[in-house]
Every structure is written in C-alpha cells, then in structure tokens.
Amino acid sequence: MTLTFHSLSLQSMKMMRAKSMRHAGESALHELSWLLEELRLRSRLQERKPGVFYERGQARLHFHEDPTGLFADLKSGADWLRFDVTSDDGRIKLLRQIDEPGRV
C-alpha cells in the first residue's frame, strides 16, 4: 500500500478553515440567547449587529459557528482569544474573561 501526502500552502489551509467557520447565523444566535442577554446587561460593549459587539468604535466580540460547535472571538489587547461557547461552561468562561478588570 502506498500513502500519498498532499502539501497544502498556509493560504490554502486558511481558506479551507474560513469556509467551514462562518459568523453565527440566526439559529446559532438564538441558541446563545441567554449569553447575549448577559452581555447586553453587564457590559460596556455595544451590539451594533446581532452578536457583534464593539467598544469605542473597535470590534471586540463576535460569534462563529462551524460543524464542531459555536465559538466566540474576544479582542483582548492586540490578540483575539477564542472561546468554545457550545456549552454553558465555555459561556461562563467567556463572561468571566469579560468581567476581569482591564481585560477587554
């Protein structure tokens, strides 16, 4: 038996990942409704579009869905932190990160 390996460029891998990971749609946001309500109540973030939050004109938080689950991307300093928010545990971790002074 012969195994064949295909070399993929970094650009090709990014494009494949982008196709599978997309911004959360209406049904995914509905699934995150209690989390979104918590964010709207507690935070200095403004929700400009459903599930997309800004602070001082800068994008700070948005949600993605892909076949493996639901994810939140949170801007912290110069970095984006990814949280798996498929379960309540991940949603609570995200809220704790946002509540931590000076983190967002």
Side-chain angles (χ1 to χ4, degrees), residues 37-66:
E37 287 302 318
E38 285 292 324
L39 291 167
R40 292 173 188 135
L41 290 174
R42 71 170 12 105
S43 109
R44 57 202 170 273
L45 302 173
Q46 294 83 40
E47 187 177 22
R48 291 192 180 171
K49 294 189 285 187
V52 181
F53 292 84
Y54 286 75
E55 181 182 31
R56 294 187 212 124
Q58 298 286 320
R60 292 290 182 205
L61 175 66
H62 57 266
F63 297 90
H64 293 279
E65 61 180 306
D66 78 6

Side-chain angles (χ1 to χ4, degrees), residues 44 55 60 74-77 81 83 96-104:
R44 57 202 170 273
E55 181 182 31
R60 292 290 182 205
L74 174 67
K75 181 99 179 204
S76 180
L81 307 175
F83 293 83
R96 285 185 182 146
Q97 182 75 26
I98 290 170
D99 289 343
E100 215 173 286
R103 292 298 294 188
V104 177

Side-chain angles (χ1 to χ4, degrees), residues 4-73:
T4 305
F5 294 96
H6 297 281
S7 175
L8 291 176
S9 70
L10 183 57
Q11 184 66 24
S12 296
M13 289 188 293
K14 285 181 180 179
M15 287 174 51
M16 287 172 51
R17 181 71 177 154
K19 287 179 181 178
S20 66
M21 174 86 57
R22 61 187 176 119
H23 281 267
E26 188 176 336
S27 64
L29 292 174
H30 180 72
E31 204 173 313
L32 297 170
S33 60
W34 79 258
L35 174 60
L36 295 173
E37 287 302 318
E38 285 292 324
L39 291 167
R40 292 173 188 135
L41 290 174
R42 71 170 12 105
S43 109
R44 57 202 170 273
L45 302 173
Q46 294 83 40
E47 187 177 22
R48 291 192 180 171
K49 294 189 285 187
V52 181
F53 292 84
Y54 286 75
E55 181 182 31
R56 294 187 212 124
Q58 298 286 320
R60 292 290 182 205
L61 175 66
H62 57 266
F63 297 90
H64 293 279
E65 61 180 306
D66 78 6
T68 64
L70 302 173
F71 299 88
D73 288 343

